[in-house]
Amino acid sequence: MRKLLPLIGTPSGSHPGGRSAMTCRFRCGDACFHEVPNTSSNEYVGDVIAGALSRRSMMRAAAVVTVAAAGAGAVGVAGAPSAQAAPVAGRGHGGGHGKPSKSRGARGLRFTPVAPNTDDVVTVPEGYRQDVVIRWGEPILRGAPAFDPEKQTAEAQAGQFGYNNDFLALLPLRGEHGRQVLVANHEYTDEVLMFRGYDPDNPTREQVEIAWAAHGLSAVVVEEERGSGKLTPVTRHRLNRRVTATTEFRLTGPAAGSDLVKTSADRSGRKVLGTLNNCSGGTTPWGTTLHGEENFNQYFANSSRATDKRYGIGTGATERKWERFDKRFDVAREPNEVHRFGYVVELDPYDPESTPRKHTLLGRFKHEAATVRLTHDGRPVVYTGDDERFDYFYKFVGSKRMRHGNSRWAREHNLSLLDEGTLYVAKLSGDSPAIEIDGTGKLPRDGEFDGSGRWIPLVTATEDGAVSHVDGMSAEEVCVFTRLAGDKVGATKMDRPEDIEPSPTTGKVYVALTNNSNRGKAGYAGPDEANPRNSNKHGHVLELTERWNRADATAFAWSLFLVAGDPEDPATYFAGFPKDRVSPISCPDNVAFDDHGNLWLSTDGNALGTHDGLFGVATKGDRRGELKQFLTVPNGAETCGPLIQDRRVLVAVQHPGEIDGASVEEPASTWPDGPGTLVRPAVVAVWRADGRDIGV
Ligand code: FEO
Ligand code: CA
Ligand code: CA
């Protein structure tokens, strides 16, 4: 057996961050190796305002502390399945850095940080326990067989938990004590790690159809174990559901029914089969879930149109060759099918018979997530980022109020909330002179990367129809070619806007910007105050304050809350907190809040050479900026879907073992079930051994 690679996080060649070439190939169709799709001349111009000097005396921590070597052996769940019942990971880690804070930390974050490491396990803090909730292939529907890696079929997969779990939601289940509905995204498939002897040049129809069934969403009821945080799937529950690449969806909003989305199989332009590359998402206050279709471009072959180029849709065959098995994936033969992907989709997990929807009013781009809050008068606001280097982030403000209650009348009304309102794109200005933003990450003289911004309207839909706010584009065109609309209005080119989350306690909004290796390179946009580092390997987190703290505001203030990396690196910033007392972090991706108001960040592609993980950071009080690592994930994996409940943390361990050269025959990870078993993406729950709340 091939020797396992010790460090997957190690930046390999020119791959951005620490992701393997294999992840780039299967996850986003090698997006970072293709030309940046945003070649618009739309440039950020920082406001040349001589900022008030030393608004805050910015500390530049002189003390630099060495990151502790990841020597302390974590003990993980890898091993016999019985080991899962009593995992002991995290034992013995005394903190992630040389001088861990002696104080106990902000409420909700009082745990001993996990040290950065490259262990093929999930490592959690001392005193915490973990277990797998559900793995790829576990049966969830009536009649679905147990997972057998050697006997996979499309029919079996359609009743089993899908591959590569990303976004997670847990919804309450009234009348069934101790049970909740878990909803998960299945972003993409990695056929090399799924099928023994997979030939990428000649995939079989069965393999392709298994992949279709392994994409999409799962809803599965889970039951709490009394006295612990453990969750167990309730197989065959009436609410359990699989949505796949062939499930029927209803297209809604201004583009529904337009010529741009009509195909030979759907002359109405309203009925779409399937959802693809669902990355992160959101849970609505009306009890549904939203799921962002992200790198949908990689599934479509043979395009030569300029509009498709802006979305990174290729001119040749695709990696998975689906176009050989269904012509809708061949743009040359079915030109409009690709216009029916790249949306935010909505699922009603309480009605397994319902037809899920694709909301065109929220725009078409590589949606990372879709996070919902309500305005003061009960209208929905959705934040959503376009995960591409030099692309934009957006806000939707609805015009209809949410109805309370669980009646069919209320639920039907609420399912239409995202079809009327206005979609905006963000334009940011810095408040420091442009000359002070030199691309190194050095703070400007006013001590902060900060400024103001505006939400620029793109399209408004009412019950009487939709109007475009973009010259030369119709409302339908804005909804289908939203990136081009953003180009035209001069939106700010960001460093891969990923997940966005408003704080439930302060109303401030946090935007994860994962990285951008091309920032400042010849031919690309240079640094600006909101994206201040050239060749930005480690990413940053932007904090946005809506004017008057109103969710429907059209103006905002912003500042960079974190500039990620090794705290020893002078080009990092942790909201002003002393940098010798924080964990290193790289490539923030998904964000979540706990009820204490702490921000939790999971990472994708740690460019510091250690595994991805989950971190908590205080956003207010005198510990604001104190970032602590809570867990790490196994070889090749990305940490996704964080959910922070009072007594439980849930993460989706996505693409474990996805390391260049790995295959079923030569695995690079044995997680979660140990040697001799197939590596499987899975959802993990973490709780305190003493049964108390997380981090108190
Ligand atoms: Fe699917 Fe942008 O991560
Ligand atoms: Ca400034
Ligand atoms: Ca992500």
Side-chain angles (χ1 to χ4, degrees), residues 524-692:
Y524 296 102
D528 59 43
E529 198 161 346
N531 302 277
R533 287 190 299 194
N534 286 335
S535 306
N536 181 8
K537 280 196 300 188
H538 299 300
H540 52 282
V541 177
L542 184 138
E543 182 182 70
L544 186 156
T545 307
E546 298 278 21
R547 179 174 286 175
W548 302 307
N549 214 8
R550 280 181 58 138
D552 58 352
T554 55
F556 55 87
W558 62 268
S559 64
L560 297 196
F561 174 65
L562 295 178
V563 181
D566 187 327
E568 290 184 21
D569 177 352
T572 58
Y573 177 69
F574 294 78
F577 195 80
K579 295 204 287 181
D580 60 346
R581 292 199 271 143
V582 301
S583 295
I585 183 172
S586 173
C587 302
D589 182 335
N590 294 132
V591 288
F593 274 92
D594 62 27
D595 284 345
H596 308 285
N598 299 307
L599 178 67
W600 292 69
L601 298 150
S602 63
T603 65
D604 172 18
N606 187 347
L608 292 169
T610 52
H611 284 186
D612 276 320
L614 177 67
F615 303 76
V617 58
T619 60
K620 50 190 170 52
D622 58 6
R623 295 186 177 279
R624 176 177 154 88
E626 184 179 26
L627 179 104
K628 298 170 79 171
Q629 182 149 18
F630 184 75
L631 62 73
T632 54
V633 294
N635 292 354
E638 164 187 357
T639 317
C640 294
L643 264 180
I644 319 300
Q645 297 187 314
D646 290 348
R647 297 202 170 178
R648 179 186 298 108
V649 170
L650 225 60
V651 289
V653 176
Q654 194 179 180
H655 55 77
E658 196 169 64
I659 297 174
D660 301 347
S663 62
V664 170
E665 294 79 7
E666 294 193 59
S669 169
T670 59
W671 190 87
D673 295 325
T677 63
L678 194 61
V679 59
R680 289 160 78 181
V683 177
V684 169
V686 184
W687 64 92
R688 265 174 76 153
D690 62 9
R692 297 181 60 207

Side-chain angles (χ1 to χ4, degrees), residues 166 279 294 368 498 589-590 604 638:
D166 194 306
C279 187
E294 195 190 21
E368 172 76 18
E498 298 239 27
D589 182 335
N590 294 132
D604 172 18
E638 164 187 357

Side-chain angles (χ1 to χ4, degrees), residues 55 431-432 444 446-451 529:
R55 191 157 15 132
D431 72 356
S432 291
D446 71 359
E448 269 192 310
F449 297 115
D450 62 344
E529 198 161 346

Side-chain angles (χ1 to χ4, degrees), residues 338-540:
V338 71
H339 295 159
R340 294 141 59 92
F341 291 83
Y343 295 105
V344 169
V345 306
E346 182 171 16
L347 178 76
D348 180 354
Y350 295 109
D351 181 0
E353 302 302 319
S354 58
T355 302
R357 303 172 190 222
K358 295 199 180 196
H359 292 294
T360 65
L361 185 53
L362 270 58
R364 175 172 167 268
F365 44 88
K366 295 184 179 179
H367 286 278
E368 172 76 18
T371 314
V372 189
R373 68 196 298 192
L374 292 177
T375 62
H376 59 287
D377 58 350
R379 292 171 292 124
V381 169
V382 184
Y383 296 94
T384 179
D386 185 352
D387 180 8
E388 186 96 59
R389 293 167 296 168
F390 302 109
D391 254 295
Y392 314 133
F393 66 96
Y394 299 80
K395 178 170 87 166
F396 165 79
V397 180
S399 53
K400 296 202 289 190
R401 291 183 191 180
M402 184 183 96
R403 286 182 184 154
H404 291 275
N406 221 10
S407 66
R408 177 166 287 278
W409 174 75
R411 291 194 72 77
E412 202 50 44
H413 168 84
N414 291 340
L415 282 165
S416 73
L417 289 175
L418 304 183
D419 297 329
E420 289 182 27
T422 299
L423 180 68
Y424 300 86
V425 67
K427 184 174 177 125
L428 285 70
S429 302
D431 72 356
S432 291
I435 198 168
E436 293 182 15
I437 311 299
D438 64 4
T440 66
K442 184 181 163 201
L443 285 164
R445 283 191 298 163
D446 71 359
E448 269 192 310
F449 297 115
D450 62 344
S452 57
R454 284 188 299 134
W455 293 109
I456 313 289
L458 299 176
V459 58
T460 297
T462 67
E463 59 183 353
D464 298 325
V467 290
S468 164
H469 304 294
V470 182
D471 284 347
M473 292 181 81
S474 67
E476 297 98 274
E477 286 169 337
V478 170
C479 292
V480 175
F481 306 120
T482 313
R483 282 185 166 182
L484 284 84
D487 297 344
K488 278 180 175 267
V489 301
T492 300
K493 295 177 173 181
M494 306 296 293
D495 287 351
R496 291 187 57 195
E498 298 239 27
D499 204 352
I500 304 176
E501 192 87 25
S503 163
T505 53
T506 66
K508 289 178 191 287
V509 181
Y510 294 81
V511 184
L513 297 143
T514 293
N515 56 39
N516 185 349
S517 48
N518 281 10
R519 174 72 64 182
K521 280 194 181 159
Y524 296 102
D528 59 43
E529 198 161 346
N531 302 277
R533 287 190 299 194
N534 286 335
S535 306
N536 181 8
K537 280 196 300 188
H538 299 300
H540 52 282

